[in-house]
Amino acid sequence: MNKKHNFYAGPAILPAEVLEGAQAAIREFGGTGLSLLEISHRSKAFEAVMDEAGALVLELMGLDSNYAVLFLTGGASSQFYMVPMNFLNEGERACYVNSGVWAAKAIKEAALFGRVEVLASSESSAFQFIPKDFAIPQDAAYLHITSNNTIYGTQYHRWPDAGDVPLFCDMSSDIFSRRLDFSKFSLIYAGAQKNLGPAGVTLVVLRRSLLDRVQRKLPAMLQYRTHAENGSMYNTPPVFPIYVSLLTLRWIRNRGLDAIEAQNLEKATRLYGEIARNSCFYAPVAGDDRSWMNIVFRTSRPELESVFLDRCKEANCVGLAGHRSAGGFRASLYNALGLESVDALIQVMREFERLHG
Ligand SMILES: *Cc1c(COP(=O)(O)O)cnc(C)c1O
Protein backbone atom coordinates (compact mmCIF):
# COMPACT_ATOMS: atom_id res chain seq x y z
CA MET A 1 0.00 0.00 0.00
CA ASN A 2 1.15 3.50 -0.81
CA LYS A 3 0.46 5.18 2.53
CA LYS A 4 -0.79 8.73 2.15
CA HIS A 5 0.09 11.80 4.16
CA ASN A 6 -3.03 11.94 6.32
CA PHE A 7 -4.07 15.48 7.28
CA TYR A 8 -7.69 14.58 8.12
CA ALA A 9 -9.16 16.32 11.18
CA GLY A 10 -10.81 13.20 12.59
CA PRO A 11 -10.99 10.28 12.43
CA ALA A 12 -7.32 10.84 11.96
CA ILE A 13 -3.87 9.40 11.54
CA LEU A 14 -2.67 6.71 13.95
CA PRO A 15 0.93 5.55 14.44
CA ALA A 16 1.90 2.70 12.08
CA GLU A 17 2.87 0.46 14.99
CA VAL A 18 -0.54 1.01 16.57
CA LEU A 19 -2.27 -0.12 13.38
CA GLU A 20 -0.02 -3.17 13.25
CA GLY A 21 -0.76 -4.02 16.88
CA ALA A 22 -4.46 -3.64 16.23
CA GLN A 23 -4.27 -5.99 13.25
CA ALA A 24 -2.39 -8.60 15.25
CA ALA A 25 -4.97 -8.41 18.06
CA ILE A 26 -7.82 -8.93 15.62
CA ARG A 27 -6.17 -12.15 14.50
CA GLU A 28 -5.33 -13.38 17.99
CA PHE A 29 -5.24 -11.57 21.27
CA GLY A 30 -2.86 -11.99 24.17
CA GLY A 31 -2.45 -15.76 23.95
CA THR A 32 -6.19 -16.34 24.34
CA GLY A 33 -6.56 -18.23 21.05
CA LEU A 34 -9.36 -15.79 20.19
CA SER A 35 -9.61 -12.53 18.32
CA LEU A 36 -9.82 -9.36 20.40
CA LEU A 37 -13.21 -8.90 18.73
CA GLU A 38 -14.42 -12.21 20.19
CA ILE A 39 -13.27 -12.14 23.78
CA SER A 40 -15.35 -11.34 26.82
CA HIS A 41 -14.84 -7.90 28.27
CA ARG A 42 -14.79 -9.68 31.62
CA SER A 43 -11.85 -11.84 30.61
CA LYS A 44 -8.55 -11.46 32.50
CA ALA A 45 -6.87 -10.40 29.26
CA PHE A 46 -9.26 -7.53 28.68
CA GLU A 47 -9.37 -6.47 32.32
CA ALA A 48 -5.62 -6.04 32.04
CA VAL A 49 -6.18 -3.75 29.04
CA MET A 50 -8.58 -1.56 31.01
CA ASP A 51 -6.27 -1.41 34.01
CA GLU A 52 -3.23 -0.51 31.94
CA ALA A 53 -5.08 2.08 29.85
CA GLY A 54 -6.44 3.81 32.96
CA ALA A 55 -3.07 3.74 34.68
CA LEU A 56 -1.29 5.13 31.60
CA VAL A 57 -3.74 8.02 31.31
CA LEU A 58 -3.08 8.98 34.93
CA GLU A 59 0.68 8.55 34.47
CA LEU A 60 0.76 10.74 31.35
CA MET A 61 -1.37 13.36 33.10
CA GLY A 62 0.66 13.22 36.31
CA LEU A 63 -2.54 12.59 38.27
CA ASP A 64 -3.32 10.14 41.06
CA SER A 65 -6.29 8.05 42.13
CA ASN A 66 -8.16 11.17 43.23
CA TYR A 67 -9.13 11.16 39.58
CA ALA A 68 -11.27 8.53 37.86
CA VAL A 69 -10.48 7.53 34.26
CA LEU A 70 -13.52 6.50 32.23
CA PHE A 71 -13.86 5.08 28.75
CA LEU A 72 -17.36 5.89 27.53
CA THR A 73 -19.35 5.77 24.33
CA GLY A 74 -21.38 8.44 22.57
CA GLY A 75 -18.47 10.63 21.51
CA ALA A 76 -17.38 13.95 22.93
CA SER A 77 -20.83 15.17 21.88
CA SER A 78 -22.44 13.05 24.60
CA GLN A 79 -20.24 14.79 27.15
CA PHE A 80 -21.87 18.06 26.09
CA TYR A 81 -25.06 16.90 27.89
CA MET A 82 -23.61 14.47 30.42
CA VAL A 83 -21.50 17.21 32.03
CA PRO A 84 -24.40 19.58 32.85
CA MET A 85 -26.76 16.68 33.59
CA ASN A 86 -24.41 15.59 36.38
CA PHE A 87 -22.87 18.85 37.53
CA LEU A 88 -25.31 21.70 36.88
CA ASN A 89 -27.84 21.41 39.67
CA GLU A 90 -31.09 23.26 40.23
CA GLY A 91 -30.40 26.85 41.27
CA GLU A 92 -26.78 26.79 40.11
CA ARG A 93 -25.16 28.39 37.10
CA ALA A 94 -22.51 27.00 34.79
CA CYS A 95 -20.06 29.20 32.89
CA TYR A 96 -18.85 28.60 29.36
CA VAL A 97 -16.46 30.21 26.90
CA ASN A 98 -17.78 30.18 23.34
CA SER A 99 -14.71 29.65 21.18
CA GLY A 100 -16.23 27.74 18.28
CA VAL A 101 -18.80 25.31 16.96
CA TRP A 102 -18.04 22.57 19.50
CA ALA A 103 -18.14 24.99 22.42
CA ALA A 104 -21.45 26.36 21.13
CA LYS A 105 -22.90 22.85 21.00
CA ALA A 106 -21.81 22.25 24.59
CA ILE A 107 -23.49 25.52 25.61
CA LYS A 108 -26.73 24.59 23.87
CA GLU A 109 -26.90 21.25 25.66
CA ALA A 110 -26.08 22.76 29.06
CA ALA A 111 -28.96 25.20 28.70
CA LEU A 112 -31.32 22.21 28.77
CA PHE A 113 -30.36 21.59 32.39
CA GLY A 114 -29.99 24.96 34.05
CA ARG A 115 -28.66 28.47 33.96
CA VAL A 116 -25.75 28.96 31.61
CA GLU A 117 -23.58 32.03 31.41
CA VAL A 118 -21.38 32.58 28.39
CA LEU A 119 -18.56 34.61 29.92
CA ALA A 120 -16.83 35.39 26.65
CA SER A 121 -17.24 34.63 22.97
CA SER A 122 -15.31 35.13 19.76
CA GLU A 123 -18.33 34.36 17.60
CA SER A 124 -18.69 37.90 16.23
CA SER A 125 -15.10 37.64 14.93
CA ALA A 126 -15.74 34.30 13.21
CA PHE A 127 -14.00 32.51 16.13
CA GLN A 128 -10.58 33.72 14.98
CA PHE A 129 -9.23 34.12 18.51
CA ILE A 130 -9.45 32.64 22.00
CA PRO A 131 -11.56 34.88 24.27
CA LYS A 132 -9.52 36.05 27.26
CA ASP A 133 -9.63 38.33 30.27
CA PHE A 134 -13.11 37.74 31.58
CA ALA A 135 -14.27 37.58 35.18
CA ILE A 136 -15.33 34.18 36.51
CA PRO A 137 -18.16 34.27 39.08
CA GLN A 138 -16.78 32.32 42.02
CA ASP A 139 -20.12 30.68 42.76
CA ALA A 140 -20.27 28.97 39.35
CA ALA A 141 -20.75 25.19 39.33
CA TYR A 142 -17.93 24.95 36.78
CA LEU A 143 -16.21 26.74 33.91
CA HIS A 144 -16.18 24.88 30.59
CA ILE A 145 -13.60 25.61 27.89
CA THR A 146 -12.47 23.93 24.65
CA SER A 147 -8.67 23.68 24.61
CA ASN A 148 -8.34 23.40 20.83
CA ASN A 149 -10.90 24.57 18.32
CA THR A 150 -10.57 21.97 15.61
CA ILE A 151 -12.56 23.85 12.98
CA TYR A 152 -11.09 27.35 13.37
CA GLY A 153 -7.54 26.41 14.30
CA THR A 154 -7.30 28.25 17.60
CA GLN A 155 -5.82 26.82 20.80
CA TYR A 156 -5.34 27.88 24.39
CA HIS A 157 -1.70 28.53 25.17
CA ARG A 158 -2.52 30.15 28.52
CA TRP A 159 -5.30 28.90 30.78
CA PRO A 160 -7.90 31.07 32.45
CA ASP A 161 -7.44 31.30 36.21
CA ALA A 162 -10.70 29.83 37.42
CA GLY A 163 -9.87 30.29 41.11
CA ASP A 164 -11.93 27.82 43.12
CA VAL A 165 -14.34 27.13 40.28
CA PRO A 166 -13.81 23.63 38.83
CA LEU A 167 -12.32 23.92 35.33
CA PHE A 168 -13.78 21.51 32.76
CA CYS A 169 -12.19 21.08 29.36
CA ASP A 170 -13.06 19.50 26.02
CA MET A 171 -9.60 18.36 24.87
CA SER A 172 -10.82 16.25 21.97
CA SER A 173 -8.40 17.58 19.40
CA ASP A 174 -5.24 18.23 21.39
CA ILE A 175 -5.20 15.64 24.18
CA PHE A 176 -1.62 14.47 24.87
CA SER A 177 -0.18 16.80 22.23
CA ARG A 178 1.89 18.74 24.78
CA ARG A 179 2.90 18.78 28.41
CA LEU A 180 0.23 20.33 30.61
CA ASP A 181 -0.53 20.79 34.27
CA PHE A 182 -3.55 18.53 34.10
CA SER A 183 -4.23 19.06 37.82
CA LYS A 184 -5.65 22.50 36.92
CA PHE A 185 -8.63 20.66 35.53
CA SER A 186 -11.42 18.93 37.43
CA LEU A 187 -12.87 17.23 34.38
CA ILE A 188 -11.32 16.54 30.98
CA TYR A 189 -12.92 14.74 28.06
CA ALA A 190 -11.82 13.81 24.58
CA GLY A 191 -13.31 11.78 21.76
CA ALA A 192 -10.55 9.32 20.89
CA GLN A 193 -10.60 9.71 17.12
CA LYS A 194 -8.30 12.71 16.87
CA ASN A 195 -5.19 12.09 18.91
CA LEU A 196 -5.85 8.92 20.83
CA GLY A 197 -7.40 6.12 18.84
CA PRO A 198 -10.24 5.21 16.53
CA ALA A 199 -13.80 6.52 16.74
CA GLY A 200 -16.03 4.76 19.25
CA VAL A 201 -14.62 5.65 22.64
CA THR A 202 -14.41 8.85 24.65
CA LEU A 203 -11.92 9.42 27.43
CA VAL A 204 -13.22 11.18 30.53
CA VAL A 205 -10.96 12.01 33.47
CA LEU A 206 -12.59 13.59 36.48
CA ARG A 207 -11.92 14.39 40.09
CA ARG A 208 -13.70 11.76 42.17
CA SER A 209 -14.82 14.38 44.69
CA LEU A 210 -17.07 15.86 41.99
CA LEU A 211 -19.23 12.75 42.15
CA ASP A 212 -20.63 13.87 45.52
CA ARG A 213 -22.17 16.92 43.87
CA VAL A 214 -24.59 15.06 41.64
CA GLN A 215 -28.18 15.68 42.77
CA ARG A 216 -30.31 14.85 39.76
CA LYS A 217 -31.89 11.40 39.50
CA LEU A 218 -30.36 9.97 36.36
CA PRO A 219 -30.45 6.76 34.36
CA ALA A 220 -27.49 4.58 35.34
CA MET A 221 -25.71 4.93 32.00
CA LEU A 222 -25.82 8.73 32.19
CA GLN A 223 -24.22 8.98 35.61
CA TYR A 224 -20.47 9.33 35.89
CA ARG A 225 -20.73 7.59 39.26
CA THR A 226 -21.94 4.36 37.62
CA HIS A 227 -18.94 4.25 35.32
CA ALA A 228 -16.46 5.32 38.00
CA GLU A 229 -17.70 2.64 40.41
CA ASN A 230 -17.63 -0.06 37.75
CA GLY A 231 -14.31 0.71 36.10
CA SER A 232 -16.13 1.65 32.85
CA MET A 233 -17.52 -1.92 32.77
CA TYR A 234 -21.08 -1.36 33.93
CA ASN A 235 -22.04 -2.54 30.48
CA THR A 236 -19.95 -3.87 27.59
CA PRO A 237 -17.37 -1.20 26.85
CA PRO A 238 -16.11 -0.54 23.29
CA VAL A 239 -13.44 -3.21 23.54
CA PHE A 240 -11.66 -2.62 20.24
CA PRO A 241 -11.37 1.21 20.35
CA ILE A 242 -10.18 0.97 23.95
CA TYR A 243 -7.47 -1.51 22.99
CA VAL A 244 -6.29 0.65 20.08
CA SER A 245 -6.27 3.66 22.43
CA LEU A 246 -4.11 1.65 24.83
CA LEU A 247 -1.64 0.96 22.02
CA THR A 248 -1.55 4.70 21.28
CA LEU A 249 -1.09 5.53 24.97
CA ARG A 250 1.90 3.15 25.07
CA TRP A 251 3.30 4.84 21.96
CA ILE A 252 2.88 8.26 23.61
CA ARG A 253 4.49 7.06 26.84
CA ASN A 254 7.44 5.51 24.96
CA ARG A 255 8.10 8.72 23.06
CA GLY A 256 7.37 10.95 26.02
CA LEU A 257 5.14 14.02 26.07
CA ASP A 258 8.17 16.32 25.85
CA ALA A 259 9.35 14.78 22.58
CA ILE A 260 5.80 14.77 21.21
CA GLU A 261 5.37 18.41 22.15
CA ALA A 262 8.71 19.35 20.57
CA GLN A 263 7.80 17.61 17.32
CA ASN A 264 4.30 19.12 17.25
CA LEU A 265 5.77 22.59 17.75
CA GLU A 266 8.32 21.96 15.00
CA LYS A 267 5.63 20.79 12.55
CA ALA A 268 3.40 23.79 13.30
CA THR A 269 6.32 26.23 13.12
CA ARG A 270 7.39 24.89 9.73
CA LEU A 271 3.91 25.07 8.27
CA TYR A 272 3.00 28.50 9.68
CA GLY A 273 6.42 29.66 8.48
CA GLU A 274 5.68 28.55 4.93
CA ILE A 275 2.19 30.10 5.04
CA ALA A 276 3.77 33.43 6.05
CA ARG A 277 6.54 33.18 3.44
CA ASN A 278 4.40 31.98 0.55
CA SER A 279 2.68 34.79 -1.40
CA CYS A 280 -0.28 32.52 -2.27
CA PHE A 281 -1.39 31.71 1.30
CA TYR A 282 -2.30 33.36 4.57
CA ALA A 283 -3.41 32.26 8.03
CA PRO A 284 -6.53 33.98 9.41
CA VAL A 285 -5.66 33.30 13.07
CA ALA A 286 -3.10 35.54 14.80
CA GLY A 287 0.07 34.14 16.35
CA ASP A 288 -0.83 33.94 20.05
CA ASP A 289 -3.90 31.78 19.59
CA ARG A 290 -2.76 29.59 16.72
CA SER A 291 -3.35 25.89 17.04
CA TRP A 292 -0.43 23.49 16.69
CA MET A 293 -2.87 20.72 15.82
CA ASN A 294 -5.22 22.15 13.19
CA ILE A 295 -3.54 24.70 10.98
CA VAL A 296 -6.15 26.71 9.11
CA PHE A 297 -5.02 28.65 6.05
CA ARG A 298 -6.46 30.18 2.92
CA THR A 299 -5.27 31.19 -0.49
CA SER A 300 -5.19 34.73 -1.81
CA ARG A 301 -6.40 33.16 -5.09
CA PRO A 302 -9.69 31.56 -3.90
CA GLU A 303 -10.61 30.73 -7.51
CA LEU A 304 -7.72 28.25 -7.39
CA GLU A 305 -8.76 26.50 -4.16
CA SER A 306 -9.73 23.27 -5.88
CA VAL A 307 -6.59 23.38 -8.03
CA PHE A 308 -4.49 23.42 -4.87
CA LEU A 309 -6.46 20.55 -3.32
CA ASP A 310 -5.99 18.52 -6.51
CA ARG A 311 -2.25 19.18 -6.44
CA CYS A 312 -2.18 18.03 -2.80
CA LYS A 313 -3.94 14.80 -3.74
CA GLU A 314 -1.50 14.15 -6.56
CA ALA A 315 1.30 14.51 -4.00
CA ASN A 316 -0.47 11.98 -1.71
CA CYS A 317 -1.47 14.70 0.79
CA VAL A 318 -5.11 14.09 1.78
CA GLY A 319 -7.64 15.65 4.14
CA LEU A 320 -6.68 19.28 3.53
CA ALA A 321 -10.05 20.85 2.72
CA GLY A 322 -11.24 23.19 5.47
CA HIS A 323 -14.29 22.26 7.54
CA ARG A 324 -17.46 22.54 5.49
CA SER A 325 -18.55 25.53 7.61
CA ALA A 326 -15.20 27.37 7.32
CA GLY A 327 -13.89 26.67 3.79
CA GLY A 328 -10.26 27.22 2.82
CA PHE A 329 -7.72 24.66 3.98
CA ARG A 330 -6.93 22.88 7.21
CA ALA A 331 -3.92 20.71 7.88
CA SER A 332 -4.37 18.60 11.00
CA LEU A 333 -0.96 17.76 12.43
CA TYR A 334 -1.85 15.24 15.12
CA ASN A 335 0.82 13.42 17.11
CA ALA A 336 1.24 10.53 14.69
CA LEU A 337 1.88 12.76 11.66
CA GLY A 338 5.61 12.89 10.88
CA LEU A 339 7.70 15.87 9.86
CA GLU A 340 8.09 14.34 6.40
CA SER A 341 4.34 14.76 5.82
CA VAL A 342 4.53 18.46 6.68
CA ASP A 343 7.52 18.81 4.36
CA ALA A 344 5.58 17.08 1.57
CA LEU A 345 2.76 19.60 1.98
CA ILE A 346 5.20 22.51 2.02
CA GLN A 347 6.64 21.23 -1.28
CA VAL A 348 3.17 21.37 -2.85
CA MET A 349 2.67 24.92 -1.54
CA ARG A 350 6.00 26.01 -3.05
CA GLU A 351 5.16 24.50 -6.42
CA PHE A 352 1.78 26.20 -6.30
CA GLU A 353 3.48 29.53 -5.71
CA ARG A 354 5.85 28.93 -8.63
CA LEU A 355 2.89 28.24 -10.94
CA HIS A 356 0.33 30.73 -9.64
CA GLY A 357 2.11 33.27 -7.42
C1 LIG B 1 -14.51 16.37 17.03
C2 LIG B 1 -14.82 17.19 18.24
C3 LIG B 1 -15.96 16.97 19.00
C4 LIG B 1 -17.04 15.96 18.62
O1 LIG B 1 -16.59 14.69 18.87
P1 LIG B 1 -17.54 13.41 18.64
O2 LIG B 1 -16.72 12.33 19.27
O3 LIG B 1 -17.72 13.26 17.18
O4 LIG B 1 -18.82 13.64 19.33
C5 LIG B 1 -16.14 17.73 20.14
N1 LIG B 1 -15.25 18.66 20.51
C6 LIG B 1 -14.13 18.90 19.79
C7 LIG B 1 -13.16 19.95 20.24
C8 LIG B 1 -13.88 18.18 18.63
O5 LIG B 1 -12.77 18.42 17.91
Side-chain angles (χ1 to χ4, degrees):
M1 185 177 70
N2 185 7
K3 190 82 161 82
K4 299 202 163 140
H5 301 290
N6 184 353
F7 293 93
Y8 276 106
I13 184 167
L14 288 167
E17 66 189 69
V18 167
L19 296 177
E20 280 155 24
Q23 285 170 33
I26 287 180
R27 284 191 294 272
E28 203 257 341
F29 179 62
T32 57
L34 298 171
S35 163
L36 174 64
L37 305 183
E38 301 174 311
I39 62 165
S40 164
H41 59 293
R42 308 273 176 210
S43 61
K44 281 242 164 353
F46 189 71
E47 277 185 358
V49 168
M50 284 302 252
D51 290 348
E52 187 186 346
L56 266 178
V57 167
L58 290 182
E59 181 189 324
L60 287 168
M61 291 188 167
L63 299 175
D64 60 21
S65 58
N66 288 319
Y67 283 79
V69 178
L70 314 178
F71 294 96
L72 305 182
T73 52
S77 299
S78 291
Q79 296 308 304
F80 295 164
Y81 65 76
M82 214 166 144
V83 162
M85 209 178 216
N86 281 263
F87 300 124
L88 174 52
N89 290 311
E90 198 87 30
E92 294 177 347
R93 58 175 160 171
C95 294
Y96 281 73
V97 175
N98 184 9
S99 56
V101 161
W102 299 116
K105 286 187 172 171
I107 290 165
K108 186 163 169 245
E109 299 288 83
L112 297 171
F113 298 97
R115 195 171 137 210
V116 171
E117 258 176 60
V118 179
L119 298 184
S121 171
S122 47
E123 186 169 14
S124 62
S125 308
F127 297 120
Q128 301 295 286
F129 65 92
I130 296 284
K132 296 176 201 80
D133 302 325
F134 44 83
I136 301 160
Q138 288 300 298
D139 63 345
Y142 59 83
L143 170 65
H144 180 284
I145 61 173
T146 311
S147 53
N148 183 72
N149 298 282
T150 326
I151 296 174
Y152 303 97
T154 62
Q155 187 176 28
Y156 280 83
H157 296 291
R158 183 162 62 83
W159 303 104
D161 178 6
D164 291 333
V165 175
L167 185 58
F168 290 6
C169 190
D170 176 357
M171 292 195 189
S172 291
S173 51
D174 66 351
I175 186 95
F176 298 134
S177 66
R178 52 183 170 167
R179 204 166 260 299
L180 282 190
D181 177 4
F182 287 96
S183 70
K184 275 185 189 307
F185 301 90
S186 294
L187 184 149
I188 293 162
Y189 62 90
Q193 70 273 19
K194 280 143 192 165
N195 233 352
L196 199 56
V201 67
T202 304
L203 172 68
V204 180
V205 179
L206 80 168
R207 249 185 234 282
R208 289 182 190 276
S209 58
L210 281 176
L211 297 170
D212 300 331
R213 294 189 174 208
V214 184
Q215 291 173 9
R216 222 173 246 113
K217 268 202 183 328
L218 295 173
M221 282 297 288
L222 300 182
Q223 293 179 48
Y224 289 113
R225 178 184 296 282
T226 305
H227 301 291
E229 285 177 351
N230 292 281
S232 303
M233 298 253 241
Y234 174 75
N235 70 324
T236 316
V239 168
F240 185 62
I242 290 172
Y243 181 67
V244 182
S245 299
L246 168 61
L247 295 178
T248 313
L249 288 164
R250 285 182 187 156
W251 178 86
I252 294 170
R253 196 256 329 265
N254 291 343
R255 297 199 135 196
L257 274 184
D258 286 333
I260 284 180
E261 170 171 339
Q263 176 167 298
N264 285 336
L265 181 56
E266 175 61 26
K267 288 184 294 185
T269 304
R270 278 192 202 182
L271 187 50
Y272 282 121
E274 175 61 18
I275 292 166
R277 189 210 60 75
N278 192 310
S279 62
C280 291
F281 300 99
Y282 65 98
V285 176
D288 284 357
D289 293 336
R290 280 180 179 171
S291 171
W292 302 358
M293 290 280 97
N294 309 98
I295 279 107
V296 168
F297 59 107
R298 302 202 179 119
T299 172
S300 46
R301 309 270 317 263
E303 73 282 7
L304 295 179
E305 224 169 69
S306 62
V307 174
F308 177 68
L309 289 173
D310 287 345
R311 276 300 303 125
C312 288
K313 276 206 192 88
E314 283 161 32
N316 276 332
C317 295
V318 297
L320 286 155
H323 188 267
R324 58 188 188 278
S325 68
F329 311 117
R330 171 175 54 175
S332 297
L333 314 182
Y334 296 121
N335 291 345
L337 189 90
L339 277 170
E340 68 288 356
S341 293
V342 174
D343 290 340
L345 173 60
I346 288 174
Q347 273 312 111
V348 181
M349 295 166 74
R350 290 190 177 155
E351 268 170 48
F352 188 79
E353 185 187 35
R354 272 199 295 279
L355 291 172
H356 304 290

